Amino acid sequence: MSFWDFFRRERWPHIFCPGCGIGMVLNALWKAFEETEQEPEKWAFVSGIGCTARAPAYMRVDSLHTLHGRAIAFATGLKLGNPELNVMVFSGDGDIASIGGNHLIHAARRNMDLKVIMINNGIYGMTGGQLSPTTLPGLRTTTTPMGNYDYTMGTAELVAHLGANFSARWTTAHIVMVKEAIKRMIPKEGFCFLEVVSQCPTNFGRRNRMEDPRKMLQFMKEHSVHVSRVGQLGAYFEEPVFVVGTFADRDRKGYVARLREAGYFESF
Ligand SMILES: Cc1ncc(C[n+]2csc(CCOP(=O)(O)OP(=O)(O)O)c2C)c(N)n1
């Protein structure tokens, strides 16, 4: 599958700012699809609202661009309506962890058969850079101009704790690991979650003296620590630290398999 079999050139120019990390993740996604010989027509992508949520519109796949925070709820309906379809949610940290947090928690708890890629740029990018639950301590946003005083949500840790089959966090400074994590998620059943910490030079970098995206990549690299060194308590750091690595990789039965075993699909 060539690059242009996966992306819709006719929909470009896209809305992403110069230096935005979403393009890097899309490239990793395409490479993961190419290397595992995926057929895009067997996939559907679901997103909420935000910069990241616009991404599926540029892919040559069936996609649902839904309400802010409700991507996982729509994706769950889609998967249960057509269990043969591979369903991937691709959305932002505000969309998935903040307004959509409750859907995330219960989809992970159920081990719902979805792949979720959450781009964590640490803010609400599309609306101008407000604080989000994933903003790291001390960093500046439009709503915390003197620095974030709030504690950070460890989304990948939470999803792992809830029993999902796969949960990982990497940054765009570890883009090969992002691709490898996507490849690991593709054949798995159950809930598979990948958080990608990513640069937003426009609304995050500018307020934190990192308007140059290369500075942000350097920052992410220097402030990353592998989960094997700190355990799952990384979310409780008082300084900006990105705990990267795989938090869960198990093979519990997914929701669809459990419904099928109980005879629910036959009764429809
Ligand atoms: C119900 C609802 N509340 C608020 C908004 C306004 N809104 C649009 S995008 C957005 C935040 C997007 O942030 P995130 O999901 O992190 O994505 P990003 O733009 O950073 O990729 C908000 C609050 C909305 N569209 N709908």
Side-chain angles (χ1 to χ4, degrees):
M1 178 186 33
S2 77
F3 187 82
W4 292 118
D5 288 333
F6 192 61
F7 292 106
R8 295 176 190 266
R9 190 197 289 260
E10 65 276 14
R11 294 239 172 118
W12 291 19
H14 51 71
I15 63 159
F16 307 129
C17 301
C20 172
I22 296 171
M24 294 174 70
V25 182
L26 287 177
N27 199 39
L29 177 66
W30 162 63
K31 285 201 170 133
F33 267 50
E34 195 201 26
E35 287 175 20
T36 55
E37 299 180 0
Q38 295 303 307
E39 296 169 53
E41 55 277 14
K42 296 196 173 151
W43 286 81
F45 278 67
V46 184
S47 62
I49 301 294
C51 297
T52 312
R54 286 294 283 264
Y58 305 119
M59 298 175 203
R60 210 174 288 289
V61 289
D62 287 331
S63 59
L64 264 174
H65 190 203
T66 68
L67 301 173
H68 190 33
R70 304 292 172 253
I72 288 178
F74 277 84
T76 299
L78 191 57
K79 182 71 187 174
L80 293 183
N82 182 0
E84 305 313 316
L85 197 62
N86 297 305
V87 181
M88 183 175 280
V89 172
F90 194 96
S91 227
D93 50 332
D95 198 61
I96 287 178
S98 185
I99 188 171
N102 208 30
H103 298 295
L104 173 72
I105 287 172
H106 294 288
R109 170 182 67 80
R110 288 174 162 149
N111 212 14
M112 185 64 221
D113 301 75
L114 300 174
K115 332 276 178 215
V116 178
I117 298 183
M118 182 185 90
I119 305 257
N120 171 7
N121 53 19
I123 44 159
Y124 296 165
M126 181 170 265
T127 44
Q130 295 83 0
L131 183 81
S132 87
T134 51
T135 309
L136 291 177
L139 298 178
R140 291 194 168 91
T141 71
T142 32
T143 42
T144 55
M146 288 178 289
N148 177 21
Y149 43 78
D150 208 347
Y151 291 123
T152 307
M153 176 171 175
T155 323
E157 291 89 336
L158 174 69
V159 168
H161 175 73
L162 288 163
N165 268 358
F166 185 84
S167 182
R169 178 188 297 111
W170 292 103
T171 82
T172 45
H174 309 89
I175 201 68
V176 176
M177 300 313 291
V178 170
K179 183 190 77 177
E180 290 304 321
I182 298 171
K183 282 168 69 177
R184 181 88 190 126
M185 296 204 297
I186 286 174
K188 258 184 175 301
E189 69 174 289
F191 196 76
C192 297
F193 181 81
L194 172 63
E195 175 177 343
V196 187
V197 180
S198 169
Q199 72 275 18
C200 171
T202 305
N203 276 327
F204 187 85
R206 271 192 307 144
R207 297 193 172 87
N208 290 284
R209 299 191 177 175
M210 289 183 279
E211 50 283 286
D212 182 334
R214 287 170 301 183
K215 269 196 186 168
M216 285 205 70
L217 285 164
Q218 193 65 31
F219 179 82
M220 289 188 271
K221 211 173 199 174
E222 284 168 2
H223 288 76
S224 288
V225 47
H226 194 263
V227 59
S228 59
R229 301 189 63 188
V230 294
Q232 298 233 341
L233 293 181
Y236 303 105
F237 277 108
E238 304 276 339
E239 317 85 43
V241 176
F242 305 103
V243 182
V244 295
T246 303
F247 294 83
D249 190 347
R250 1 174 134 95
D251 287 302
R252 297 172 75 210
K253 262 185 212 159
Y255 193 71
V256 168
R258 294 199 319 281
L259 276 183
R260 192 167 273 140
E261 269 180 22
Y264 279 94
F265 286 110
E266 286 146 39
S267 63
F268 291 140

